[in-house]
Amino acid sequence: MNFIARQGDIWIEAIKELPKSLKAKKDNVIAMGDSTNLAHRLIKGKVLIDKEENIYLDVPTKTQIIHDHGKGRGHKSIPLSKGKYKIIRQRETTMGDMTRIVQD
């Protein structure tokens, strides 16, 4: 249950339970890299989103998150065990108290 990983601009953290009222995405894209326009994609399972656009994963069997590659770019795949996960888009401070999503 202490699983934590990072792939570019996304943070992956194991959680005990999924929140209620989530909607499944059809394309299994977790996030698009802002500078590369390459997708972080869940191979097996469901990518779920709540009303505030928080992202969760429901993984019924061992799988992985891949980062689509283009011209030598991309990140290593992240193996995931069966479980439930929360995805957090990484943010960075730009000036003072201003933040933005990390450019991947």
Side-chain angles (χ1 to χ4, degrees):
M1 187 58 144
N2 294 339
F3 178 86
I4 295 175
R6 180 174 173 251
Q7 186 184 65
D9 58 339
I10 65 169
W11 180 269
I12 307 138
E13 187 173 324
I15 58 176
K16 290 182 182 180
E17 293 183 32
L18 294 170
K20 306 290 184 217
S21 302
L22 298 175
K23 295 196 180 203
K25 288 188 72 182
K26 293 181 182 177
D27 60 8
N28 264 14
V29 170
I30 297 165
M32 295 297 290
D34 295 320
S35 64
T36 62
N37 206 31
L38 301 174
H40 298 274
R41 187 181 315 274
L42 180 65
I43 298 299
K44 295 178 187 172
K46 292 181 184 176
V47 176
L48 306 160
I49 299 181
D50 67 13
K51 291 178 184 177
E52 288 81 34
E53 297 188 14
N54 294 307
I55 305 166
Y56 299 88
L57 307 179
D58 187 11
V59 177
T61 184
K62 185 177 178 179
T63 189
Q64 60 184 333
I65 295 174
I66 63 165
H67 190 244
D68 295 341
H69 295 266
K71 297 184 180 181
R73 297 186 201 163
H75 303 288
K76 290 183 179 180
S77 298
I78 302 289
L80 293 180
S81 298
K82 176 182 175 178
K84 296 166 186 5
Y85 300 86
K86 180 173 184 173
I87 301 295
I88 300 167
R89 295 294 304 267
Q90 296 292 278
R91 301 192 69 79
E92 62 187 353
T93 301
T94 57
M95 194 168 59
D97 61 351
M98 295 173 57
T99 63
R100 67 178 177 201
I101 291 177
V102 170
Q103 299 290 305
D104 179 31

